Amino acid sequence: MAANRNLKQVRIENSSPAAPLGMVGGGGGGGNLKGLRGLEAESEAAAAAMALAPSKEGGGDEEQEVGFTIDIKSFLKPGEKSYTQRCRLFVGNLPTDITEEDFKRLFERYGEPSEVFINRDRGFGFIRLESRTLAEIAKAELDGTILKSRPLRIRFATHGAALTVKNLSPVVSNELLEQAFSQFGPVERAVVVVDDRGRATGKGFVEFAAKPPARKALERCSDGAFLLTTTPRPVVVEPMEQFDDEDGLPEKLMQKTQQYHKEREQPPRFAQPGTFEFEYASRWKALDEMEKQQREQVDRNIREAKEKLEAEMEAARHEHQLMLMRQDLMRRQEELRRLEELRNQELQKRKQIQLRHEEEHRRREEEMLRQREQEELRRQQEGGFKPNFMDNVSLNKCKHEHSSADQLGFPLETPNKWPQGIVCFPENSSALEFFFLCAG
């Protein structure tokens, strides 16, 4: 079954008895990648290209198709982002009359592209596919393909937004590196380089989705000190050197210059001792050995300097922490002293307020007592008197006795001329006694 135009599904055929299905993909839709990853780079791309190659149908004989169907999304690795710079291909040696439709049709079997660019004058173009695996398959299939009598030259495009990050701490991971550099812009990939034992080498690289964020990160990290961990160990950011360690330089791309033909006159060989070749070959080897020793010495000096700096930094950190602790203790003592002063001031204010209240209360009592005395004095001076209830009772008794005295023949003056003091006496007292009391 041939791959359709939308490339939603493809069928891998059992085209050769020497390549059974188990070697390619196992027995399920998700097992094909496991088989592909176990092969070498070239055989991986070639084997995966078989998944996209159309099957050949026999003339009149209808043969039973043996294979399985793969979803195109299975070519995306877990966590891999689609349409990144790593999925961008450079296509060289294009015909000058090629159209964009023809260019897209050339890659239509490998998914829908997100970027297509053609420079007809110089005969090259760029195309960006969905995943790195699809780009590798397209490169493996189409590189060297003859198009209008011109062999196509396909390779991965240079990543212009990639940066190399050095001086990384051993505790920095891929995720932390991506998180740290995401503040400058979208990051497509961030990787910490490790050795064959999985130990961090102190280097890594960050691939941005565009060039402006990469330039911003490079400028900010060059001007300032960008720290990823607690240790004040700034990272060193540089533009990433681009190398092609996959295809290298094949013979078909070599320029056949005069120097090329001169150097190719002699085949590969070992120089014989005592010859001109051996003498200068030995001098070249001695120069290389000297360079190696000097590099080792420089690396050793740098390593010792780093260890010394780390020791000084650790001692300075402890001293700095002690200084901060002393400053914090002094600040706390000053704060306690200030709080104590505020407390004493508050107690003094409360005491003064209490004394004022007591003084005010005493003054009010004295004022009330003084007003009462003045009122009593004024009443005594004015001669006014307001009898109370007992005085009224005594007055009525006196009036009763007055009538009795009048019957006895003792003339009395009017009550207005009576003395101010009224004396109460028992009811059995005689009228004469009352008269003498009133007169006295």
Side-chain angles (χ1 to χ4, degrees):
M1 183 181 67
N4 56 21
R5 285 185 182 275
N6 296 329
L7 199 63
K8 299 298 182 185
Q9 293 179 342
V10 294
R11 180 175 292 277
I12 296 180
E13 301 295 331
N14 186 10
S15 58
S16 173
L21 288 176
M23 291 180 61
V24 178
N32 64 314
L33 288 180
K34 296 180 180 179
L36 294 178
R37 294 192 187 102
L39 303 176
E40 297 293 337
E42 295 183 0
S43 58
E44 176 185 355
M50 293 173 56
L52 297 177
S55 63
K56 297 180 180 180
E57 299 179 357
D61 300 331
E62 294 186 3
E63 299 178 357
Q64 180 96 17
E65 291 185 350
V66 180
F68 55 90
T69 303
I70 301 176
D71 188 357
I72 194 64
K73 293 181 180 179
S74 64
F75 287 110
L76 279 174
K77 298 178 181 179
E80 180 184 2
K81 299 178 182 179
S82 59
Y83 297 108
T84 63
Q85 293 274 359
R86 301 181 71 247
C87 312
R88 194 164 174 255
L89 292 175
F90 168 82
V91 184
N93 204 24
L94 288 173
T96 56
D97 58 346
I98 189 172
T99 62
E100 185 173 330
E101 290 73 17
D102 295 336
F103 191 65
K104 283 186 176 180
R105 194 177 300 113
L106 186 65
F107 290 89
E108 66 179 356
R109 294 167 48 215
Y110 309 102
E112 186 68 23
S114 67
E115 175 192 356
V116 175
F117 172 79
I118 300 176
N119 189 330
R120 295 182 181 85
D121 297 335
R122 303 181 61 180
F124 70 89
F126 292 95
I127 187 167
R128 186 180 303 194
L129 300 179
E130 183 178 7
S131 68
R132 175 79 176 189
T133 305
L134 288 174
E136 290 175 352
I137 295 172
K139 177 179 176 295
E141 268 202 333
L142 299 179
D143 186 27
T145 303
I146 305 300
L147 181 63
K148 294 183 180 181
S149 302
R150 305 184 70 169
L152 297 180
R153 300 288 182 258
I154 300 179
R155 67 173 185 268
F156 282 99
T158 301
H159 202 307
L163 299 176
T164 300
V165 185
K166 300 179 181 179
N167 200 31
L168 290 175
S169 172
V171 299
V172 176
S173 62
N174 298 340
E175 291 77 8
L176 177 59
L177 187 63
E178 180 177 358
Q179 177 187 357
F181 281 86
S182 295
Q183 59 180 292
F184 304 109
V187 175
E188 292 182 347
R189 197 165 69 117
V191 176
V192 176
V193 180
V194 297
D195 58 11
D196 56 346
R197 298 185 179 181
R199 295 174 299 187
T201 60
K203 298 180 181 179
F205 58 87
V206 179
E207 297 176 353
F208 287 93
K211 291 183 179 180
R215 285 195 298 266
K216 181 180 178 182
L218 182 60
E219 293 174 359
R220 291 285 304 277
C221 295
S222 299
D223 297 339
F226 190 33
L227 308 178
L228 303 189
T229 57
T230 305
T231 304
R233 182 177 179 176
V235 296
V236 179
V237 180
E238 300 174 352
M240 184 175 179
E241 297 182 6
Q242 303 292 333
F243 298 101
D244 185 2
D245 55 358
E246 295 182 0
D247 296 335
L249 184 60
E251 184 69 24
K252 62 182 178 181
L253 299 181
M254 290 293 298
Q255 297 182 1
K256 308 303 188 288
T257 62
Q258 185 178 0
Q259 180 71 17
Y260 169 84
H261 291 290
K262 182 179 178 181
E263 293 293 336
R264 289 298 184 92
E265 290 177 355
Q266 295 289 337
R269 65 202 179 281
F270 281 99
Q272 297 298 323
T275 62
F276 171 82
E277 292 179 341
F278 186 83
E279 179 184 355
Y280 278 89
S282 300
R283 293 175 65 178
W284 275 107
K285 291 183 67 175
L287 180 61
D288 184 74
E289 185 66 24
M290 184 178 64
E291 180 184 3
K292 179 181 177 181
Q293 293 177 1
Q294 290 181 358
R295 289 184 181 276
E296 290 178 352
Q297 182 63 33
V298 170
D299 293 340
R300 191 160 44 249
N301 295 339
I302 293 297
R303 185 167 57 253
E304 292 176 357
K306 287 184 177 180
E307 293 176 355
K308 181 180 179 181
L309 180 60
E310 289 180 354
E312 293 177 355
M313 182 177 61
E314 193 68 22
R317 177 191 294 175
H318 289 310
E319 184 65 26
H320 180 68
Q321 291 178 350
L322 289 175
M323 183 185 67
L324 292 179
M325 292 176 63
R326 285 194 294 267
Q327 291 179 354
D328 185 66
L329 180 60
M330 293 176 61
R331 183 182 58 81
R332 290 175 180 270
Q333 291 177 350
E334 181 66 21
E335 185 71 17
L336 289 175
R337 186 186 62 79
R338 191 177 62 85
L339 292 176
E340 187 67 22
E341 290 181 356
L342 292 176
R343 179 174 174 274
N344 294 335
Q345 293 177 2
E346 185 68 21
L347 293 176
Q348 189 69 19
K349 288 181 180 179
R350 290 182 180 180
K351 187 175 181 180
Q352 292 178 358
I353 292 174
Q354 184 177 2
L355 292 175
R356 270 201 308 270
H357 286 174
E358 293 178 356
E359 182 67 20
E360 185 69 21
H361 183 68
R362 185 181 59 78
R363 192 165 51 249
R364 279 200 203 123
E365 289 182 350
E366 291 179 355
E367 184 68 23
M368 292 176 61
L369 183 59
R370 188 165 47 252
Q371 290 179 0
R372 191 176 303 159
E373 291 177 354
Q374 291 177 357
E375 184 68 23
E376 288 291 336
L377 182 61
R378 187 172 62 254
R379 288 173 57 187
Q380 292 179 4
Q381 290 177 355
E382 292 177 355
F385 177 74
K386 293 181 179 180
N388 53 21
F389 176 76
M390 296 302 299
D391 294 339
N392 292 333
V393 173
S394 301
L395 180 59
N396 291 333
K397 288 183 179 181
C398 290
K399 287 181 178 180
H400 177 71
E401 295 296 335
H402 172 269
S403 59
S404 300
D406 188 26
Q407 293 177 1
L408 291 174
F410 294 101
L412 296 174
E413 296 180 356
T414 59
N416 293 334
K417 295 183 180 180
W418 291 355
Q420 295 297 327
I422 299 177
V423 179
C424 295
F425 51 90
E427 293 183 357
N428 56 1
S429 300
S430 63
L432 185 59
E433 293 176 349
F434 171 74
F435 174 75
F436 285 116
L437 285 174
C438 290

